[in-house]
Amino acid sequence: MAASGGTKAVVAALAANLTIAVFKFIAWLVTLSSSMLAEAIHSVADSGNQVLLLIGGKRAQRQASPQHPFGYGRERYIYSFIVSIVLFSVGGLFALYEAYQKFLHPHGIEGRWWWVPLAVLVGAIIAEGLSFRTAIKESNLIRGKQSWVAFVRRAKAPELPVILLEDLGALLGLVFALFGVSLTLITGNGVFDALGTAMIGLLLVAIAVVLAAETKSLLLGESATREHVRLIEDALTAGGARIIHLKTLHLGPDELLVAAKMSVEPGMSSERIAEEIDATEVRVRQAVPIANVIYIEPDIYREPYTTTAPEGAPAGSGA
């Protein structure tokens, strides 16, 4: 994984979730609380997701091959998309199923171990809070002035947004579980336990849908950020040429393809054109280091023109 910050956040979340999952299962075994079971499965799903993110980061580092000439950078997007499916199916749908069963057959939390779920949930909130703090700290290193919503929507490296949403979901889920367990202990009515479980399920489904939508956009192929596009445009035109067409595409979080058609003077020799293209590529890579695949096509610049279109049809323009 290219971003060490993303790896650090993933490892921190994995360590927290594995530990928390064990204690949640113990709490469920001694109380049969559906909220605790839903939270235990949630932690297992999150742990599996973090393993998938680490695998995707490792596989994305493979060298390009004749069959995959642009490399394997998008493996990170694929595994992040799988994460959203796992979170939806294993975490969200299981919690909703468990809530349905508990609504049909509600029962309170009795016996001398009634305090165990409360202790586990409070400890889990502390552990998840530390993991969430790590994710926030690492995200702030690259977030800049973006809002958190913009960061999650526009980040090209999927690991940090995934961990941020997972940790946020984990904290909210723990609060919902604490709500359900506490009211069940106070009232003796297991319906509150089922309600907390349902809230956990709906939360996980919502987060999974957001993750799937954002990761799908990355899989389809997103252009460079506005800041990178501006830097690339400045580098392309620094030598005096004009941009006719410019397209960018992320091959992976840290790999950017730049394709540009640039103007050349009529009558310019092929040797001079080649020198200009080489110099332009150097400038682009200096301005945006992740622009490691650059294609520049020379052409004669022609002023845009406008034609009189038939009534009801749009006017055309071209270069």
Side-chain angles (χ1 to χ4, degrees), residues 55-57 59-60 62 72-80 251:
I55 292 174
R59 290 179 61 84
R62 290 179 294 167
Y72 295 84
R74 289 194 181 181
E75 289 253 21
R76 289 165 69 178
Y77 300 151
I78 293 172
Y79 278 84
S80 297
L251 303 173

Side-chain angles (χ1 to χ4, degrees), residues 4-280:
S4 59
T7 304
K8 184 177 180 180
V10 172
V11 172
L14 176 60
N17 279 310
L18 286 175
T19 304
I20 292 169
V22 173
F23 287 104
K24 286 178 180 177
F25 273 118
I26 293 174
W28 168 68
L29 286 173
V30 299
T31 63
L32 297 181
S33 166
S34 64
S35 292
M36 293 309 304
L37 179 58
E39 273 299 304
I41 297 300
H42 178 190
S43 292
V44 171
D46 281 353
S47 299
N49 289 341
Q50 276 110 48
V51 171
L52 287 172
L53 291 176
L54 292 172
I55 292 174
K58 183 68 174 178
R59 290 179 61 84
Q61 295 175 0
R62 290 179 294 167
Q63 296 295 319
S65 65
Q67 187 176 7
H68 299 279
F70 292 112
Y72 295 84
R74 289 194 181 181
E75 289 253 21
R76 289 165 69 178
Y77 300 151
I78 293 172
Y79 278 84
S80 297
F81 189 76
I82 295 174
V83 162
S84 67
I85 296 173
V86 171
L87 193 63
F88 175 83
S89 57
V90 177
L93 295 185
F94 177 84
L96 291 175
Y97 171 79
E98 185 65 20
Y100 173 73
Q101 293 296 320
K102 190 64 178 283
F103 274 121
L104 292 180
H105 309 288
H107 59 79
I109 299 174
E110 302 174 349
R112 59 176 179 166
W113 302 110
W114 61 268
W115 56 270
V116 172
L118 297 178
V120 169
L121 288 171
V122 172
I125 288 174
I126 295 173
E128 287 289 359
L130 294 174
S131 173
F132 193 38
R133 185 182 68 173
T134 300
I136 291 174
K137 181 180 177 181
E138 298 301 326
S139 297
N140 279 332
L141 297 176
I142 60 175
R143 183 169 66 95
K145 298 180 180 180
Q146 297 181 89
S147 67
W148 285 108
V149 173
F151 174 71
V152 170
R153 294 192 62 184
R154 298 172 186 170
K156 305 305 180 183
E159 292 82 11
L160 283 174
V162 168
I163 293 300
L164 280 170
L165 288 175
E166 277 194 351
D167 284 351
L168 177 61
L171 282 171
L172 291 176
L174 289 167
V175 172
F176 294 159
L178 189 60
F179 162 81
V181 170
S182 299
L183 287 182
T184 298
L185 288 170
I186 293 171
T187 65
N189 189 347
V191 170
F192 290 108
D193 193 20
L195 180 60
T197 307
M199 293 167 67
I200 293 169
L202 292 173
L203 171 70
L204 295 181
V205 169
I207 291 176
V209 170
V210 172
L211 280 178
E214 296 305 320
T215 310
K216 186 192 81 168
S217 178
L218 292 170
L219 278 171
L220 290 175
E222 288 190 354
S223 64
T225 63
R226 293 179 181 176
E227 176 64 15
H228 279 172
V229 170
R230 184 185 64 78
L231 292 172
I232 290 170
E233 289 175 342
D234 291 344
L236 288 172
T237 57
R242 305 175 72 170
I243 299 173
I244 301 175
H245 293 301
L246 172 63
K247 295 183 184 296
T248 61
L249 178 68
H250 267 274
L251 303 173
D254 308 306
E255 300 171 277
L256 185 64
L257 181 149
V258 177
K261 179 180 285 191
M262 302 296 299
S263 68
V264 295
E265 295 296 330
M268 183 181 291
S269 68
S270 57
E271 182 178 356
R272 177 68 185 281
I273 292 175
E275 291 174 352
E276 290 292 331
I277 290 176
D278 291 341
T280 302

